[in-house]
Amino acid sequence: MKKLVAFDLDGTLAESKQAIGKDMAELLAKLTTHIPLAVISGGDWPQFEKQIVARLPEDAKLENLFIMPTTGTKLYRFDGEWTAIYADIFSKEEHDHIVTALDEAMATAGFADDQTWGEKIEDRGSQITFSGLGQDAPIDAKKAWDPDFAKRKKLQKILQAELKGFAINVGGSTSIDITREGTDKATAMAKLAEHSGIATKDMIFLGDAIYPGGNDDPVRAAGIDTIKVRDPEETITALTGMLAFMV
């Protein structure tokens, strides 16, 4: 039996930037009374607070929940209130270099003039995220924009040539997450092991982007047990099965 269950957020626990559903919230709350949980994703703390924390019922054991924004470059724990344990923030020089490279790469790839809803580039402190249609794009538009990942893989290749020393990972339905080199969800799992005292061999990770180039795939590549899910409904099925063995 595993001792900790970790998750991606968008596409795994909820639709892109949407709050978790009532069934998911109740299931996660039940799980926290039996086993520690962790959520590792590209969004920043306010997104996690809106999508997950605010939706959990009162009986959730929040002390058993590890929140790891910006691909695990931040960690939040609950001890009467939510507190940042660490944050690996970019310097101004790193930030400016990444933003300039993104602007140039979008123009080279031909994405600069696409219709957008909100900002395409978001500074999350320890991560800079490109969103192909903007931060506030409707879900249907997001799903239709790059279903085969071709657009983002093209942009990823350009950025990898320009941003030496940084990790460029495809995530979500329209996004690319940029962190320092060597930073991905596998290193986040290693940090989680350090802070939780639970070895990675005793963890399991669920994500929808466990494929070559996907931002969940480094967890699998690191030898940590994973479950690839198609969507939140499939996650509920997997977790319901896990819970049956805990009660």
Side-chain angles (χ1 to χ4, degrees):
M1 175 65 92
K2 295 298 183 181
K3 297 179 181 178
L4 183 148
V5 184
F7 310 88
D8 168 52
L9 176 50
D10 286 347
T12 301
L13 296 179
E15 294 288 353
S16 180
K17 295 204 172 179
Q18 303 302 301
I20 57 174
K22 184 174 184 291
D23 290 348
M24 182 70 79
E26 291 177 351
L27 183 54
L28 292 176
K30 287 178 183 177
L31 284 165
T32 62
T33 67
H34 296 281
I35 192 170
L37 306 180
V39 186
I40 307 169
S41 194
D44 208 348
W45 165 252
Q47 198 69 35
F48 280 80
E49 187 174 30
K50 179 176 73 173
Q51 288 185 253
I52 300 177
V53 175
R55 301 286 293 185
L56 292 173
E58 292 183 359
D59 59 349
K61 189 176 180 181
L62 298 180
E63 295 83 358
N64 254 358
L65 184 59
F66 294 80
I67 297 292
M68 303 185 75
T70 55
T71 318
T73 56
K74 297 178 182 179
L75 171 65
Y76 284 77
R77 296 297 311 278
F78 184 82
D79 184 12
E81 62 181 7
W82 287 98
T83 303
I85 305 302
Y86 65 74
D88 184 17
I89 304 298
F90 283 135
S91 68
K92 184 180 185 305
E93 291 76 14
E94 288 172 320
H95 167 276
D96 291 349
H97 178 43
I98 293 167
V99 170
T100 298
L102 267 171
D103 285 336
E104 294 174 352
M106 281 191 291
T108 300
F111 302 156
D113 297 326
D114 285 354
Q115 180 183 2
T116 59
W117 291 263
E119 294 296 324
K120 279 189 175 184
I121 299 174
E122 182 182 4
D123 178 8
R124 297 175 179 173
S126 54
Q127 175 179 291
I128 293 176
T129 296
F130 162 83
S131 296
L133 297 178
Q135 299 294 324
D136 304 317
I139 291 176
D140 288 347
K142 285 185 173 185
K143 288 182 176 180
W145 185 69
D146 189 29
D148 61 356
F149 311 103
K151 291 181 179 179
R152 282 172 293 163
K153 286 183 177 179
K154 179 180 180 180
L155 190 63
Q156 182 186 43
K157 186 175 181 179
I158 296 169
L159 289 169
Q160 285 170 338
E162 296 298 324
L163 291 175
K164 302 299 184 184
F166 296 92
I168 298 98
N169 290 302
V170 174
S173 54
T174 65
S175 62
I176 287 179
D177 298 324
I178 301 172
T179 56
R180 289 194 178 96
E181 190 173 48
T183 299
D184 54 31
K185 289 185 181 178
T187 59
M189 293 287 281
K191 285 185 178 180
L192 180 59
E194 177 185 340
H195 284 271
S196 68
I198 299 170
T200 55
K201 67 181 178 63
D202 294 320
M203 300 178 181
I204 191 164
F205 177 89
L206 286 76
D208 68 312
I210 301 174
Y211 50 77
N215 67 353
D216 296 329
D217 200 53
V219 181
R220 178 204 58 78
I224 300 168
D225 288 339
T226 60
I227 297 176
K228 185 182 185 303
V229 295
R230 182 178 61 251
D231 51 33
E233 288 72 23
E234 198 162 275
T235 300
I236 286 177
T237 299
L239 295 182
T240 300
M242 289 184 195
L243 186 62
F245 286 96
M246 299 177 189
V247 297

